[in-house]
Amino acid sequence: MVLRPLPRREEEVVEMGEEDEEVVLVQGRQVESLTWPVKREAVVEGELVLGGLMMVHERGSGGKEGEKGWWCGPVMPQGGVQAVEAMLYTLDVLRGVTHPKHGVRSRIYGKSFLPGVALGAHILDDCDSDTYGLEMAVDFIKGSISNIDGGAASDFSCNRSSSSSLRKVISGVVGAASSVTSIQVANLLRLFKIPQVSFFSTSPELSNKQRFEYFSRTIPSDHYQVKAMVEIVRRMNWSYVSILYEESNYGIKAFEELEDLLTHHGICIAVKEKLVKDSGVAEEAAYDSIVLKLLTKPRAKGAIIFGSDQEVAGVMRAVRRCNATGSFWWIGSDGWSARSLVSDHNEPEVEGTLSVQPRAHPVKGFEEYFLSLTVENNKRNPWFVEFWEDHFRCRYPGSPLTPFNRHYTKACSPLERLSPQNTAFEGQLQFVSDAVMAFAHAFNDMHQDLCHGRPGLCDAMKPVKGTELLKYLRKVEFTGLSGDKFRFDPQGDGPARYNIIHFKQLSPGRYKWVRVGDYTDGVLNLNMSEVQFRLNRPQPPESVCSFPCELGQAKKYVEGEICCWHCFNCTQYQVRHPTDETRCLPCPLGTVPDAAHVSCLPIPEVYLRPESGWAIGAMALASSGILLTLFVATVFIKNRSTPVVRATGRELTSVLLVGLLMCYGMTFALALRPTDAVCGLQRFGAGFSFTLVYAALLTKTNRIARIFAAGRRTARRPACISPRSQLLICAALTSVQLLVSGVWFVVAPPRAIHHHPTRESNLLVCASHTDASYALAFGYPILLLVVTTVYAFLTRRIPEAFNESRQLGATMYATCVVWLAFVPTYFGTAAHVPLRVASVAVAFSLSASVAVACLFAPKVYIVLIRPELNVRQSRIGAMSSSSAAAAAAATAAAAAAAAAGSGTQTAAAVAVAGTRNRQSGDGTATAVARRGSHHTQTSHVVDSDLQSDGFDLRELKEKPPAAMVGRVRLQVNEEGEEGVTSVVSKATQTTISGCVVAVTLNNNNSSNVGNGPVVVRDVDVPL
């Protein structure tokens, strides 16, 4: 025997027996014996009996696990005693029993409902323990053992006495309250095919009809409650919460669903802890440890508690002991919310709780009925005495001793009464009443079908077969005593309707559970204006591990935490990844991040825009050049028969003018927005226009050089110096550029690209402009330029009166200067595209302008300003003495040619000679030949295509030539224009180098030269 002192009276000790008997000793003498727990039952007689398994007492904490003293604790006023009375009250309504002043009389229920059949009850207490509840449930099957094989039930049993008493068969069971107990009991009852309807068991596992086919419930599954709780968390914008769940099937299954749903919505669990239940009642230290773990995650302000009231009350007391009041805000399950066991004396700790409660309305008439009960008028409830003693904290006279009333020193008075002020009601008693009503309606429907409305039980219902009853049970539809319509869903669960209740402080020190919303059909309706987490503090607390990163920042997660991270800034040219918040992406070239580093914005394209100042200046210069070139062409066309124009070589001059126009036109192509087509035009035009210009100039300079070089070596006429030949040579030179461009187009097709020499630049250019490939367009023209310049240099000593060599030289030298200045400018402006392109355009225009100024300006000047010089004589003015000698030689050659001819002939000798030193005086020579009656005087200019003019030989008479002989080659074309003829004096070759003498013989009697047939003879002319 073990003696231990009682907590309140030092002189008392309790002596424990071997099983469940306690002996209370006061000052060494026995006062009263205590037996605990005491098995009691509430019985209501009837033909159809419903079993009831209620949680009348809390789970016990005394003794060791497995001992009966450990099973049962103090009485539960709301979910226990009131649930018992709700079942009894509903039976009274169904049986037609009314209570004075508070009974509910219905037209539906009474004698017309289950006629001749009385509903009875057999109610037991499971003490919120699955093992103890299973032991109690064995009583329900004692009368139904014969149901195992489908035979008739035995309605009697023998006791130890000689007489026998009938044991009623339990047709169905109402209960249990706890999901853990319901699972154990359901596994037992299904063996005997006894339907079971629970009123508080919400575990989702019980919806599995393959395991629990005979189980139903009037309360919805926690599956929907969990969804409602997660929706509340989301409405609070919480992303980091803790979860406390009881160590039972009710808590574990709910936690599994909570974890899945929270993860699905990106909500992290900071702390997850079990609340001891199945293994006993935890010590205070266990609850303190749980609270301390919660405090290790201070940012997780929100916490979900899925448990029963007894365990949650222990958590709230631990919060107060750990000075953590106000550190957490709770989301509660229906197992503990609105329970006085939790909120009483823990108001500051519970304040702000939002809880999910299956929607229930008060059972009509029950409150009045319950408040009218006393110990004297409620003998059918064996636990009502304990409730009375616990409620009024007194000892009822004659009541048995319990571990919980032995401390009461005050005796209960007959004047004590229950009242609305001192009595709190369970808010979910509707589910208890609906469970009884469901069985009653199933019995009624079954009775009508099997007994055809005859009063009393027919043989078909003796006994009631569980399989048949279950079919009727699942089909019932009725309006309960609460006024709500009820029917089971396909899983045998009650309708998913929830109220959202809130524990708030209405005024200092005054707390109350209030309804602030509902959850129906998967939709949460929450009135946030009614939510108050602390007095005068409506804003919900923040429950996040890390605050969202600012725009332009990425996350770096803390190891092991998916909701905790550090934020870091993306670099200057990066934006945050649109789908991966942990990465920064560099903006593509040509784009830069916006101010928030969220998206990449395109950099405006940079190219030479036509409206820019650079383009306008370049196009103005090009336009001026085009107008000037067209002016020159117009002047030349109008004066095409004049000596100056004819002396320029009209064919190559035309090619040259077209090339110059193309050079000017390239400026406008360069001012267009680059596209593939525009780039092709620029690539082709840049090379071709210059090639056309320099090919024509090269052909001219080459012709001059070849003629005078040949004159030094031989008297034969050089090949390919005719106008047609010159055009063919120019075309051949140009075709090389066409070939280069064609191959280039095939190998590297022109295309416009965005070039990015720096990170913040976006240059729209042609691809060939970004590398050395653009030099291919100018490579061949530059080669022509160099060769032309060399020829211009070699022919610089040719007499200026007979060629353009000096003008060509000046053109080439100036062009070289322009391009030498252009090259560094081009490469030096790589980062400034408009300036670079403008410099190219200006270089084109300047190169063309140099040719116009140096080649055509002097001729236009003579044609327009000094027309008196636009004659043959003007071309040989200021000749040197050597030139005069050459003229005398030409006269002698003409005379000899005339003497050699037959008939009346007129000989015109045209001599062209140039020297380095010019001298003043009239260098014009005119020769007149007379034969017979014909007199011909020629004053005819000769188009030699060598930029030289003819001259009159009359002056040669006054200046006879030296007595020398040279070879003169005469060539006269069919049109009367003299070709190029060379005459070289063997003695004076060095003196009159390059002297050309042409003798034209005309057999026409007309005085005009050039009408007769042309003959070419070689004669010896004394020089």
Side-chain angles (χ1 to χ4, degrees):
M1 215 173 259
V2 180
L3 300 179
R4 58 187 176 91
L6 293 176
R8 298 189 61 179
R9 299 180 61 181
E10 296 180 358
E11 68 275 13
E12 293 182 0
V13 295
V14 178
E15 190 175 84
M16 296 292 294
E18 293 182 359
E19 294 183 357
D20 58 356
E21 182 178 346
E22 290 184 349
V23 179
V24 181
L25 302 178
V26 179
Q27 294 180 349
R29 61 186 179 85
Q30 179 175 335
V31 176
E32 192 174 2
S33 63
L34 170 63
T35 301
W36 188 258
V38 178
K39 180 180 179 180
R40 298 185 175 93
E41 56 186 6
V43 178
V44 176
E45 297 296 336
E47 287 79 15
L48 294 176
V49 180
L50 291 176
L53 197 58
M54 303 294 176
M55 190 167 54
V56 180
H57 290 90
E58 297 177 15
R59 192 168 56 258
S61 59
K64 298 180 181 180
E65 182 176 355
E67 296 180 356
K68 291 182 180 180
W70 173 80
W71 284 333
C72 294
V75 69
M76 294 185 67
Q78 295 171 307
V81 174
Q82 289 184 9
V84 172
E85 291 298 337
M87 181 174 179
L88 295 174
Y89 173 75
T90 304
L91 286 174
D92 289 344
V93 174
L94 293 170
R95 290 158 59 101
V97 177
T98 59
H99 299 275
K101 299 182 181 179
H102 58 265
V104 174
R105 185 178 297 275
S106 174
R107 296 178 182 178
I108 300 177
Y109 308 113
K111 294 181 180 181
S112 61
F113 189 82
L114 280 174
V117 180
L119 286 178
H122 185 194
I123 304 174
L124 300 174
D125 175 22
D126 62 15
C127 292
D128 194 19
S129 170
D130 56 341
T131 54
Y132 188 66
L134 184 60
E135 180 181 331
M136 294 296 103
V138 172
D139 280 6
F140 298 148
I141 65 171
K142 288 179 179 179
S144 305
I145 293 179
S146 61
N147 282 356
I148 296 177
D149 57 2
S154 175
D155 287 343
F156 64 90
S157 62
C158 298
N159 54 22
R160 295 179 182 179
S161 63
S162 59
S163 63
S164 62
S165 62
L166 295 178
R167 180 181 295 276
K168 296 294 181 180
V169 176
I170 302 299
S171 300
V173 174
V174 176
S178 169
S179 294
V180 181
T181 307
S182 289
I183 290 173
Q184 296 283 7
V185 173
N187 286 325
L188 174 65
L189 296 180
R190 69 184 294 270
L191 298 176
F192 299 92
K193 302 177 182 178
I194 300 176
Q196 173 189 2
V197 178
S198 175
F199 46 87
F200 286 163
S201 298
T202 58
S203 173
E205 185 178 3
L206 290 166
S207 296
N208 185 354
K209 295 312 169 191
Q210 293 182 348
R211 291 184 56 195
F212 308 104
E213 56 183 319
Y214 284 88
F215 178 85
S216 303
R217 51 188 166 192
T218 54
I219 197 169
S221 168
D222 281 338
H223 173 74
Y224 304 101
Q225 182 178 191
V226 167
K227 285 186 175 181
M229 298 173 80
V230 172
E231 287 301 316
I232 294 175
V233 172
R234 295 181 64 195
R235 183 65 60 86
M236 298 296 108
N237 293 322
W238 292 349
S239 60
Y240 197 53
V241 297
S242 299
I243 299 180
L244 306 180
Y245 60 100
E246 72 174 33
E247 183 192 33
S248 67
N249 184 275
Y250 167 73
I252 293 174
K253 292 297 181 182
F255 168 73
E256 291 174 355
E257 292 205 17
L258 269 173
E259 192 172 31
D260 291 342
L261 276 177
L262 291 174
T263 302
H264 175 73
H265 291 291
I267 301 171
C268 301
I269 302 174
V271 177
K272 43 189 174 185
E273 286 293 324
K274 291 182 181 179
L275 302 176
V276 176
K277 181 173 183 177
D278 287 352
S279 57
V281 177
E283 300 292 334
E284 290 184 351
Y287 291 116
D288 292 345
S289 175
I290 291 173
V291 174
L292 291 177
K293 287 182 180 179
L294 292 177
L295 291 173
T296 61
K297 303 290 184 179
R299 292 187 176 180
K301 299 292 185 181
I304 299 174
I305 303 184
F306 218 102
S308 302
D309 48 5
Q310 187 174 354
E311 289 73 35
V312 177
V315 173
M316 297 305 167
R317 291 191 293 268
V319 170
R320 184 168 61 252
R321 288 194 300 271
C322 296
N323 295 322
T325 301
S327 298
F328 309 106
W329 284 264
W330 315 103
I331 304 296
S333 66
D334 63 323
W336 66 271
S337 57
R339 300 289 177 87
S340 59
L341 179 63
V342 178
S343 57
D344 289 352
H345 312 296
N346 297 317
E347 289 85 357
E349 288 72 37
V350 183
E351 183 184 4
T353 297
L354 281 168
S355 181
V356 179
Q357 282 259 325
R359 185 185 303 170
H361 295 94
V363 177
K364 294 177 181 178
F366 177 75
E367 290 189 9
E368 293 82 357
Y369 159 77
F370 189 80
L371 293 177
S372 68
L373 295 178
T374 64
V375 176
E376 289 77 13
N377 65 15
N378 192 19
K379 298 297 184 181
R380 63 181 179 177
N381 186 344
W383 302 283
F384 199 75
V385 174
E386 290 183 58
F387 163 76
W388 197 270
E389 290 178 336
D390 179 75
H391 189 76
F392 292 105
R393 295 293 189 267
C394 64
R395 179 77 179 275
Y396 196 84
S399 66
L401 181 65
T402 70
F404 311 103
N405 66 5
R406 63 189 176 186
H407 307 302
Y408 301 142
T409 58
K410 184 182 73 171
C412 296
S413 168
L415 300 178
E416 294 163 341
R417 290 290 182 271
L418 298 175
S419 66
Q421 290 74 29
N422 63 16
T423 305
F425 285 93
E426 168 63 45
Q428 297 181 326
L429 295 177
Q430 170 188 339
F431 300 114
V432 180
S433 176
D434 286 346
V436 178
M437 296 288 289
F439 272 117
H441 281 272
F443 287 142
N444 186 61
D445 295 342
M446 189 177 186
H447 183 269
Q448 290 179 359
D449 290 347
L450 300 181
C451 300
H452 306 290
R454 293 191 300 269
L457 290 178
C458 58
D459 293 339
M461 294 185 67
K462 291 182 180 180
V464 174
K465 294 181 176 61
T467 54
E468 292 295 323
L469 177 60
L470 182 63
K471 294 178 183 179
Y472 286 100
L473 185 64
R474 294 289 175 78
K475 296 178 181 179
V476 296
E477 290 189 29
F478 59 89
T479 301
L481 298 182
S482 64
D484 289 337
K485 293 182 179 181
F486 178 85
R487 66 176 178 179
F488 291 105
D489 68 9
Q491 285 74 39
D493 300 332
R497 300 173 299 201
Y498 293 91
N499 286 328
I500 310 301
I501 59 176
H502 178 47
F503 191 70
K504 63 188 295 187
Q505 188 175 182
L506 302 178
S507 59
R510 181 169 168 258
Y511 299 86
K512 185 180 180 180
W513 287 98
V514 296
R515 180 178 179 273
V516 294
D518 63 80
Y519 182 81
T520 306
D521 298 328
V523 178
L524 175 67
N525 298 305
L526 187 61
N527 185 4
M528 290 300 297
S529 63
E530 292 293 328
V531 177
Q532 175 184 277
F533 290 89
R534 290 291 181 267
L535 186 63
N536 300 324
R537 183 175 156 187
Q539 292 297 325
E542 292 179 335
S543 185
V544 294
C545 181
S546 299
F547 292 103
C549 294
E550 296 179 358
L551 296 176
Q553 292 184 331
K555 298 178 180 178
K556 183 179 181 181
Y557 285 98
V558 177
E559 185 176 358
E561 296 283 354
I562 64 171
C563 285
C564 301
W565 59 78
H566 302 295
C567 298
F568 64 92
N569 294 323
C570 295
T571 60
Q572 182 180 1
Y573 299 110
Q574 289 182 332
V575 295
R576 192 171 69 180
H577 195 283
T579 57
D580 187 356
E581 295 181 337
T582 64
R583 296 169 53 196
C584 290
L585 289 179
C587 284
L589 292 176
T591 62
V592 292
D594 58 6
H597 284 258
V598 172
S599 60
C600 297
L601 302 178
I603 301 173
E605 295 175 336
V606 177
Y607 58 93
L608 183 63
R609 299 178 183 273
E611 65 273 12
S612 66
W614 298 106
I616 292 174
M619 288 189 294
L621 179 60
S623 299
S624 300
I626 290 174
L627 294 176
L628 187 59
T629 304
L630 292 175
F631 174 73
V632 171
T634 302
V635 171
F636 271 47
I637 291 173
K638 288 184 176 182
N639 300 274
R640 59 185 176 277
S641 299
T642 62
V644 170
V645 175
R646 295 183 67 186
T648 58
R650 288 168 293 184
E651 292 80 4
L652 290 181
T653 299
S654 299
V655 173
L656 182 59
L657 289 174
V658 171
L660 294 177
L661 287 174
M662 290 184 64
C663 288
Y664 285 121
M666 282 302 301
T667 297
F668 299 93
L670 291 169
L672 295 175
R673 183 182 185 275
T675 61
D676 292 350
V678 171
C679 290
L681 176 62
Q682 292 179 6
R683 182 193 290 186
F684 173 78
F688 185 76
S689 60
F690 280 118
T691 299
L692 206 58
V693 171
Y694 297 138
L697 294 178
L698 176 59
T699 303
K700 284 193 173 196
T701 55
N702 172 263
R703 186 186 185 205
I704 297 172
R706 286 190 298 113
I707 289 174
F708 282 93
R712 295 187 183 97
R713 298 191 304 271
T714 178
R716 292 183 177 274
R717 178 178 181 270
C720 302
I721 59 175
S722 66
R724 181 176 299 176
S725 300
Q726 299 301 295
L727 289 176
L728 291 176
I729 293 173
C730 184
L733 293 174
T734 306
S735 63
V736 175
Q737 178 65 25
L738 293 176
L739 178 63
V740 171
S741 298
V743 173
W744 190 12
F745 271 61
V746 173
V747 175
R751 57 192 180 93
I753 63 170
H754 289 92
H755 181 51
H756 314 285
T758 64
R759 187 59 185 78
E760 295 186 0
S761 60
N762 184 27
L763 311 181
L764 181 59
V765 297
C766 296
S768 58
H769 290 190
T770 62
D771 50 32
S773 64
Y774 197 63
L776 293 175
F778 295 108
Y780 183 65
I782 290 175
L783 176 62
L784 295 179
L785 172 64
V786 172
V787 175
T788 304
T789 304
V790 171
Y791 272 120
F793 178 77
L794 293 178
T795 59
R796 69 189 185 281
R797 297 176 181 268
I798 292 175
E800 62 177 343
F802 305 103
N803 64 81
E804 296 176 317
S805 60
R806 292 190 178 183
Q807 296 172 1
L808 288 172
T811 301
M812 294 299 101
Y813 304 150
T815 303
C816 291
V817 172
V818 170
W819 283 98
L820 287 175
F822 161 73
V823 170
T825 303
Y826 179 82
F827 290 101
T829 57
H832 197 300
V833 170
L835 180 58
R836 187 181 205 182
V837 177
S839 66
V840 175
V842 170
F844 275 89
S845 297
L846 288 180
S847 298
S849 299
V850 165
V852 171
C854 295
L855 289 177
F856 295 101
K859 298 176 176 58
V860 173
Y861 173 76
I862 292 175
V863 172
L864 298 180
I865 307 301
R866 301 290 300 275
E868 68 276 8
L869 299 180
N870 191 10
V871 294
R872 292 180 301 172
Q873 291 82 353
S874 65
R875 301 298 299 156
I876 57 173
M879 294 179 61
S880 62
S881 59
S882 61
S883 298
T891 304
S902 63
T904 57
Q905 297 178 344
T906 300
V910 181
V912 179
T915 61
R916 246 182 302 180
N917 299 321
R918 302 183 59 180
Q919 54 185 347
S920 61
D922 186 4
T924 303
T926 303
V928 180
R930 294 179 176 85
R931 183 179 178 84
S933 61
H934 298 281
H935 176 269
T936 302
Q937 180 177 359
T938 180
S939 178
H940 176 63
V941 62
V942 179
D943 184 0
S944 66
D945 290 316
L946 187 58
Q947 297 85 39
S948 61
D949 296 331
F951 57 90
D952 200 327
L953 300 180
R954 286 176 298 178
E955 189 176 347
L956 296 179
K957 293 181 178 180
E958 301 174 1
K959 299 179 180 180
M964 295 182 180
V965 178
R967 181 168 294 276
V968 179
R969 185 176 183 184
L970 305 177
Q971 177 179 338
V972 183
N973 58 26
E974 297 290 338
E975 298 176 356
E977 293 185 353
E978 299 82 348
V980 178
T981 304
S982 61
V983 55
V984 181
S985 172
K986 297 174 183 170
T988 61
Q989 183 175 357
T990 58
T991 305
I992 56 170
S993 61
C995 177
V996 178
V997 177
V999 178
T1000 302
L1001 301 180
N1002 192 349
N1003 294 324
N1004 198 333
N1005 293 329
S1006 173
S1007 60
N1008 295 326
V1009 178
N1011 294 328
V1014 177
V1015 295
V1016 179
R1017 294 191 180 97
D1018 291 335
V1019 297
D1020 292 333
V1021 180
L1023 298 178

